[in-house]
Amino acid sequence: MTEVFTGSFTQQEPIAQAGIDAAMRVLQHGRLHRYNTLPDELSETALLEQEFAAQIGARYCLAVASGGYAMATALRAVGVKPGDRVLTNVFTLAPVPGAVAAVGAVPVFVGVTDQLVIDLDDLADKLPQARVLLLSHMRGHLCDMERLMALCDAAGVTVIEDCAHTMGAFWADVPSGRFGAVGCFSCQTYKHVNSGEGGLLVTDDPQIAARAVIYSGSYMLYERHLAAPPPDAFAQIKYETPNISGRMDNLRAAILRPQIAQLPTQVARWNARYETLEQGLRGTPGLRVIERPDAERKVGSSIQFLLPDWPTGAVQDLVARCAARGVELKWFGAPEPAGFTSRYDSWRYAPSEAMPATDAVLAGLVDMRVPLTFSTEDCALIARIIRSEVGAVYQQA
Ligand SMILES: *Cc1c(COP(=O)(O)O)cnc(C)c1O
């Protein structure tokens, strides 16, 4: 019998009752704007910032409209100006080069290894070209963060971390987002917490934090924050920093606060699904699973594997055959951008040179989402389907 998977790769879990109740309270009082508070009221947004800062061990946190907004704000707040060059991962998604473009800067792309992390040798070569690295922990893969920080510190390069796929992950004992000067997170539906849209920015630097708060559209109401620097940090910055509105609102914050508290539980659930998939795929002839480093404490919200040296037609064939059995795979080697998946040569607003080593990895790179609505039995079934289709295609190829 040919097994077929009938679940949805884009279905999230419902918002838990605590989030629904909190959202209803905000809707009932109607004060959705973060600075629309009663005299002694603490806004949901300010409380979210305080709670996320405490959870991740950051001095300051700012909640904003999206992960992309958090990254662009971080770039501005560390002093990136139009025309500057910014180092960034070549293997990432469109909001990352988009954030660089949003501030008028120009990306310098750094290659990807077959472990799906930034190529630190390529980075070392390119460090003299820029003063800032926007490091994307794409699909949750963390590079050797100690080596990366040593390289960047020695070169005087400021690191901004894009943690859209690593909220809740650690390298050794340090949370992702706490290595660089700034950590940026997304609360968009397909990430690790879900308020539809939203972003969080964390830093220990009072100047960066103060600039980010003003950029986000605080007007002169920054004293109503609970995870912002003291008023004296704003003394000059309040005159020099434009308002580029991108605030979070109390409705989203209300939905997010219980989810932030639940994050460690969700991480364990994601990893149980990931391990099941990985076990089911490991040892498939023609397919290579990504070996994760010991120091990495991942969040398995997606899984990738490599089809090394497969002809293009065979990869396409595999994707089509899996789709016919209900398993949605994304391929990073496709020449045209599709859905959420795109690659550096389709971001034509950003100059790039050919990167043959990166191209060789992307040519065989297959990616799959792992929503929490999948059971571990679903994951075992999906792995069996991929395994059998890889077997069929690999033999022919
Ligand atoms: C989703 C995502 C972001 C942020 O996206 P928003 O939709 O703006 O919240 C940043 N980086 C990566 C790699 C992403 O996938």
Side-chain angles (χ1 to χ4, degrees):
M1 191 193 73
T2 307
E3 292 183 298
V4 174
F5 179 64
T6 54
S8 163
F9 280 75
T10 51
Q11 180 58 55
Q12 312 306 327
E13 294 191 291
I15 299 299
Q17 196 57 44
I20 295 174
D21 293 345
M24 286 308 291
R25 285 193 292 275
V26 172
L27 291 173
Q28 276 153 1
H29 67 53
R31 294 184 295 280
L32 273 72
H33 191 285
R34 68 168 297 165
Y35 301 115
N36 182 199
T37 47
L38 299 175
D40 289 320
E41 190 181 23
L42 301 173
S43 77
E44 290 285 334
T45 309
L47 288 165
L48 169 69
E49 290 164 344
Q50 185 179 50
E51 289 162 3
F52 189 64
Q55 185 180 76
I56 202 164
R59 286 174 78 184
Y60 310 118
C61 174
L62 176 69
V64 294
S66 72
Y69 183 89
M71 292 188 290
T73 302
L75 289 167
R76 287 189 183 98
V78 303
V80 174
K81 298 277 182 295
D84 285 359
R85 289 151 73 81
V86 173
L87 294 153
T88 193
N89 304 60
V90 71
F91 172 51
T92 186
L93 290 178
V96 177
V100 177
V103 301
V106 181
V108 177
F109 291 115
V110 183
V112 66
T113 71
D114 62 4
Q115 294 298 106
L116 305 190
V117 294
I118 192 165
D119 180 341
L120 293 179
D121 296 327
D122 192 28
L123 176 66
D125 287 345
K126 291 174 177 165
L127 278 172
Q129 297 185 38
R131 302 199 50 79
V132 174
L133 165 65
L134 177 55
L135 172 68
S136 182
H137 304 300
M138 176 63 172
R139 288 297 186 251
H141 297 275
L142 292 167
C143 70
D144 179 340
M145 288 303 297
E146 276 111 39
R147 185 168 165 224
L148 177 127
M149 290 310 300
L151 285 170
C152 291
D153 287 346
V157 166
T158 301
V159 177
I160 297 170
E161 292 179 71
D162 165 23
C163 306
H165 304 168
T166 53
M167 181 188 268
F170 293 73
W171 179 263
D173 290 327
V174 180
S176 179
R178 298 294 296 135
F179 284 92
V182 191
C184 300
F185 300 82
S186 171
C187 312
Q188 193 236 77
T189 291
Y190 298 111
K191 312 300 162 90
H192 297 174
V193 291
N194 174 14
S195 58
E197 305 288 352
L200 292 161
L201 177 160
V202 299
T203 183
D204 285 348
D205 183 313
Q207 304 282 303
I208 293 174
R211 280 188 215 109
V213 166
I214 302 273
Y215 278 130
S216 77
S218 69
Y219 301 90
M220 296 300 135
L221 301 169
Y222 44 79
E223 288 183 53
R224 299 214 203 151
H225 286 238
L226 299 169
D232 60 310
F234 292 84
Q236 274 304 308
I237 284 171
K238 70 181 176 189
Y239 299 113
E240 295 165 354
T241 309
N243 176 328
I244 306 178
S245 289
R247 293 171 301 271
M248 181 174 281
D249 59 83
N250 288 331
L251 183 57
R252 290 194 173 102
I255 294 170
L256 288 170
R257 288 178 59 209
Q259 295 184 55
I260 294 291
Q262 277 298 311
L263 188 60
T265 310
Q266 302 295 71
V267 169
R269 295 177 63 221
W270 257 307
N271 288 344
R273 285 153 181 76
Y274 183 97
E275 305 304 342
T276 304
L277 282 160
E278 190 194 81
Q279 252 176 43
L281 294 176
R282 186 178 285 282
T284 306
L287 176 152
R288 225 176 75 207
V289 298
I290 309 295
E291 304 296 347
R292 315 288 300 238
D294 290 339
E296 181 193 49
R297 288 159 59 192
K298 66 175 181 299
V299 183
S301 56
S302 70
I303 190 164
Q304 293 71 42
F305 56 82
L306 291 173
L307 304 170
D309 305 320
W310 280 40
T312 295
V315 181
Q316 283 166 327
D317 195 21
L318 175 72
V319 171
R321 293 175 68 126
C322 288
R325 294 177 66 180
V327 174
E328 267 183 49
L329 303 177
K330 311 287 180 212
W331 176 41
F332 275 95
E336 282 299 316
F340 287 107
T341 310
S342 60
R343 39 178 284 151
Y344 70 99
D345 44 9
S346 51
W347 307 325
R348 293 189 194 162
Y349 54 85
S352 61
E353 290 165 14
M355 300 180 73
T358 285
D359 292 343
V361 174
L362 298 183
L365 175 55
V366 177
D367 172 43
M368 195 186 92
R369 233 183 223 143
V370 185
L372 285 175
T373 47
F374 289 1
S375 63
T376 49
E377 292 74 30
D378 291 337
C379 293
L381 168 62
I382 290 166
R384 285 197 300 277
I385 291 173
I386 296 172
R387 196 180 182 101
S388 76
E389 294 301 333
V390 167
V393 178
Y394 189 63
Q395 269 161 21
Q396 291 164 16

